[in-house]
Amino acid sequence: MNRNTRLQKSLDMLNKSLEALNMAIDQQHLAQKADDIDQSVKEFFEVKTFLAMQKMKENSREWRSNSTK
């Protein structure tokens, strides 16, 4: 096997390794993005629920103050 053939074989193996590494990085990035989206959705619904509860409390206070007049 001559030197050029060995170099080409090594380069091919290196390219395959880099492709596998890039795929792994992409998968990790996508998984992190999905986790971030899940966290954002969870926070959105927590805030939405909190605001709904605050509104109900305020409406209850208004109703009580109106009923005593």
Side-chain angles (χ1 to χ4, degrees):
M1 191 184 307
N2 67 21
R3 186 168 187 253
N4 286 344
T5 305
R6 287 194 317 258
L7 285 173
Q8 186 60 49
K9 190 173 183 179
S10 293
L11 285 174
D12 290 343
M13 288 174 50
L14 181 59
N15 279 334
K16 284 182 184 178
S17 295
L18 286 174
E19 286 175 12
L21 179 61
N22 280 333
M23 285 180 22
I25 290 170
D26 288 344
Q27 288 175 346
Q28 184 178 17
H29 180 71
L30 290 174
Q32 180 64 41
K33 212 172 206 182
D35 289 344
D36 291 346
I37 290 171
D38 288 345
Q39 183 64 31
S40 294
V41 168
K42 181 180 174 186
E43 290 172 1
F44 168 79
F45 283 108
E46 287 174 355
V47 169
K48 183 179 175 183
T49 301
F50 174 78
L51 292 174
M53 294 297 286
Q54 291 295 102
K55 188 174 182 178
M56 285 191 330
K57 284 181 185 177
E58 187 161 320
N59 288 342
S60 176
R61 282 188 210 126
E62 288 176 9
W63 182 82
R64 278 192 226 135
S65 66
N66 288 340
S67 66
T68 57
K69 289 183 181 178

